[in-house]
Amino acid sequence: MDQTISNGHSSDQSSSNGHEENSQSEREESILGKRRNGSPDSFCDPHVRPSMPLFGMDIGGTLTKLVYFEPDNIDDFDQAEQQTLRTIHRYLMGSTAYGTTGIRDVHLEMTNQNICGREGKIHFIRFPTSQMPAFIDLAKYRKFSGLASGICATGGGAYMFEEVFESEVHLQLHKYDELDSLVKGIHYIDRYNLNSECYYFCNPLDPNSCEKMPFDFQDPYPYLVVNIGSGVSILSVRSKSQYSRVSGTSLGGGTFLGLCCLLTGCETFEEAIELASKGDSENIDKLVKDIYGGDYNKFGLKGDAVASSFGQMMSKEKRKSARKEDLARATLVTLTNNIGSIARMCAKTEKIERVVFVGNFLRVNTISMKLLAFAMEYWSNGSLKALFLEHEGYFGAMGCLLEYLHLNNPA
């Protein structure tokens, strides 16, 4: 979603003769003048189907996630809606990338979904929140306000960008609670994804025997949700409708990327993870064996356990030899270990054995997932299991899409 897309120079732009311009204008006026059932007030009436298109949006501090429901049979709709849906389909489905930053995650697409009595697919799209001005330009050019009266949205950005959407795009953001949307999204996707959604790792730190295994999450309660975005929120979920926020930390994915930008000069999350994958954190951290010469057996601390994150950087010589890759890896390990430690303490306090880690911090980040899997099992003597979900990062946006169904507790 960058300026290349938002300035209007796209392959499906109409030709410029007067007749076509007038026809397009008439179609847009027809759409704009039509009363749309796009606000949450109309969702409460089970006899009224909300008009297409249906979007759910989660505007986070780092990434914006967009969930879109594409109905299978466009011919079932009236002429104005058909025009709208074909315009969206031509743009969104014509590519898997939008500009240099927007991505449609094709592998996460959910088919055979029933939304508001209509069959269709659910698509998952993301772009950096820093590119929101370009997305707003795109929405203005594509006349999103003529396609819907509003978008169900969550995340801090739903408040931050609310006035801009109304003044620039003439589109209302109907705001929903971030954690409510997260839990609703998890419940829906796990139950209605035709493929296995939940999984764990066997032998996570052994490159030769590590294996990704499916986990049956149909009867999960109680469980802990560790939502790792820019920061971290930890929820205790006791049932479909009962949950509470039990802890959190400001040291999350935003911290990792911010520190990596400072320490290595990288500019994107993907670049930071790529650097970390090639680094060795032992060149940056001080380990137990650096202090004790080996294991600390009395308390079961192995020699290669981290005793002091970035502890080696007290040495001027070590600082001179530190590579960008090592700094990125040490930053990732530091943040992951801290999140895992807090999650384990919360699980113990709440007397919960299942801990589900979600959020965009885990996207393209198997290093952290495997570290979390190992740490949870090792430090709990096998009583805790770290679980992961395929649609990490999209649950808040999915929860917003569910507002169209008026289903607070999907079965």
Side-chain angles (χ1 to χ4, degrees):
M1 302 284 180
D2 64 3
Q3 202 63 33
T4 306
I5 295 297
S6 66
N7 64 14
H9 299 297
S10 59
S11 58
D12 65 323
Q13 189 174 5
S14 299
S15 61
S16 59
N17 69 65
H19 177 73
E20 291 183 353
E21 284 183 348
N22 290 336
S23 298
Q24 178 67 19
S25 177
E26 289 170 3
R27 285 195 296 268
E28 289 167 357
E29 288 298 324
S30 173
I31 295 172
L32 283 166
K34 181 176 182 289
R35 181 183 179 276
R36 303 191 64 77
N37 303 317
S39 70
D41 294 339
S42 68
F43 306 160
C44 300
D45 186 347
H47 302 292
V48 177
R49 284 183 173 183
S51 297
M52 296 290 114
L54 303 185
F55 290 103
M57 200 171 190
D58 181 0
I59 311 175
T62 304
L63 273 181
T64 293
K65 287 74 66 179
L66 189 67
V67 173
Y68 166 61
F69 174 71
E70 178 200 358
D72 287 338
N73 194 350
I74 295 179
D75 294 334
D76 289 344
F77 298 91
D78 62 41
Q79 187 174 1
E81 285 185 318
Q82 287 183 32
Q83 178 68 27
T84 293
L85 291 169
R86 288 193 174 98
T87 297
I88 292 176
H89 183 86
R90 187 164 57 245
Y91 176 67
L92 290 183
M93 302 303 113
S95 177
T96 58
Y98 316 100
T100 58
T101 57
I103 299 293
R104 177 162 58 92
D105 285 312
V106 180
H107 67 288
L108 297 180
E109 177 184 297
M110 292 174 62
T111 59
N112 299 322
Q113 299 299 304
N114 189 301
I115 303 291
C116 299
R118 295 178 171 118
E119 297 294 326
K121 305 180 184 70
I122 298 176
H123 300 281
F124 300 86
I125 299 164
R126 56 182 162 85
F127 61 91
T129 301
S130 61
Q131 293 296 314
M132 185 58 73
F135 177 80
I136 289 171
D137 284 346
L138 167 68
K140 288 168 62 178
Y141 167 69
R142 296 283 174 177
K143 294 182 172 58
F144 275 24
S145 61
L147 309 182
S149 64
I151 295 178
C152 293
T154 190
Y159 296 85
M160 180 180 296
F161 296 104
E162 180 180 17
E163 291 185 4
V164 178
F165 267 86
E166 290 195 11
S167 63
E168 297 290 326
V169 190
H170 308 296
L171 192 66
Q172 185 179 358
L173 295 182
H174 303 296
K175 302 181 294 297
Y176 292 89
D177 181 78
E178 184 173 358
L179 299 182
D180 280 346
S181 298
L182 171 71
V183 174
K184 289 177 186 177
I186 289 174
H187 290 164
Y188 181 90
I189 290 180
D190 179 69
R191 280 152 182 73
Y192 294 100
N193 187 1
L194 301 181
N195 302 312
S196 178
E197 177 69 22
C198 189
Y199 63 94
Y200 66 97
F201 288 101
C202 282
N203 305 313
L205 297 190
D206 187 339
N208 297 318
S209 61
C210 178
E211 190 174 1
K212 181 178 172 180
M213 302 291 293
F215 184 85
D216 185 356
F217 202 60
Q218 290 298 306
D219 185 22
Y221 311 105
Y223 65 93
L224 211 65
V225 175
V226 183
N227 185 33
I228 315 174
S230 296
V232 181
S233 284
I234 301 178
L235 312 179
S236 172
V237 184
R238 300 287 173 174
S239 71
K240 295 174 185 176
S241 59
Q242 181 185 7
Y243 78 87
S244 59
R245 186 182 188 276
V246 295
S247 189
T249 173
S250 62
L251 305 181
T255 313
F256 165 68
L257 180 55
L259 288 175
C260 278
C261 289
L262 283 172
L263 294 171
T264 71
C266 69
E267 295 185 358
T268 67
F269 181 78
E270 288 80 5
E271 187 180 353
I273 291 295
E274 179 66 20
L275 286 172
S277 69
K278 300 174 181 176
D280 185 350
S281 58
E282 292 189 10
N283 296 327
I284 308 297
D285 297 334
K286 184 165 285 190
L287 308 181
V288 168
K289 64 186 177 184
D290 295 324
I291 300 172
Y292 287 92
D295 299 343
Y296 189 2
N297 293 317
K298 181 177 180 179
F299 294 103
L301 293 172
K302 297 292 185 181
D304 57 1
V306 178
S308 175
S309 297
F310 282 77
Q312 298 283 19
M313 295 299 93
M314 293 184 287
S315 165
K316 186 176 181 179
E317 288 71 24
K318 293 283 187 179
R319 290 197 300 272
K320 288 182 179 179
S321 62
R323 301 183 307 137
K324 291 192 298 183
E325 292 82 358
D326 297 340
L327 290 167
R329 181 65 169 241
T331 304
L332 186 62
V333 170
T334 297
L335 269 296
T336 303
N337 284 345
N338 182 66
I339 293 167
S341 178
I342 295 172
R344 188 177 69 88
M345 288 189 287
C346 288
K348 185 175 182 180
T349 301
E350 296 291 316
K351 297 180 173 58
I352 290 176
E353 295 181 354
R354 298 185 183 97
V355 184
V356 182
F357 292 91
V358 300
N360 276 294
F361 176 71
L362 300 177
R363 183 177 52 83
V364 301
N365 185 7
T366 56
I367 298 171
S368 287
M369 286 193 284
K370 292 176 180 180
L371 283 173
L372 288 168
F374 173 80
M376 297 300 289
E377 184 171 357
Y378 180 83
W379 294 111
S380 68
N381 292 318
S383 65
L384 292 179
K385 184 177 292 293
L387 302 175
F388 305 94
L389 302 173
E390 297 287 357
H391 286 79
E392 67 258 5
Y394 282 110
F395 298 109
M398 185 67 231
C400 283
L401 187 69
L402 292 179
E403 297 299 337
Y404 290 95
L405 289 80
H406 195 56
L407 290 179
N408 292 328
N409 301 300

